[in-house]
Amino acid sequence: MRKHILLVDDDDDIREVVRISLEAVGGWQVSSASSGIEGIAKAIAERPDAILLDVMMPGIDGPATFKRLQHDPATRNIPVILLTAKARAPTFSASRRSASRACSPSRSTRWPCPTR
């Protein structure tokens, strides 16, 4: 039986690219929703193995949708991965510098350090 993932994103093109990738490369069964409200309803009805959830959506955004999913006993144990197509280089660079400092040889870490 194939694993089932629910993709929640308001952008039609992103949903299509992610769906094709997950089906072709990962072998996932993919269902999709174009809003947080639709995603919550589908999560309750379909009980997917995982949810890919866009961060920035009109109406109920990803973090608010995630809170609602966590509040409902029917969906709280479904793993959720937040995703976004919006990235700003300065934010990424600053995050990477912080991670690099946290992973310096003089500090003990519990996770793999990023490669440079």
Side-chain angles (χ1 to χ4, degrees), residues 13 21 27 35 58 75 81-82 96 103 111-112:
D13 294 332
S21 299
S35 70
T75 57
I81 301 166
L82 293 170
R96 190 162 177 91
C103 291
W111 63 88

Side-chain angles (χ1 to χ4, degrees), residues 86-100 114-115:
K86 312 285 189 265
R88 294 187 315 178
T91 303
F92 177 77
S93 296
S95 297
R96 190 162 177 91
R97 280 192 302 276
S98 295
S100 295
T115 58

Side-chain angles (χ1 to χ4, degrees), residues 24-105:
V25 177
W28 287 83
Q29 172 191 342
V30 180
S31 60
S32 64
S34 61
S35 70
I37 294 293
E38 183 184 4
I40 292 166
K42 283 194 169 190
I44 292 167
E46 298 175 3
R47 306 288 170 98
D49 296 298
I51 299 171
L52 275 177
L53 179 59
D54 185 17
V55 172
M56 296 171 41
M57 294 184 290
I60 300 176
D61 67 5
T65 301
F66 177 71
K67 280 185 180 179
R68 289 187 184 193
L69 290 166
Q70 290 298 295
H71 190 70
D72 189 324
T75 57
R76 76 169 44 127
N77 292 320
I78 301 171
V80 173
I81 301 166
L82 293 170
L83 68 100
T84 185
K86 312 285 189 265
R88 294 187 315 178
T91 303
F92 177 77
S93 296
S95 297
R96 190 162 177 91
R97 280 192 302 276
S98 295
S100 295
R101 281 195 300 274
C103 291
S104 69

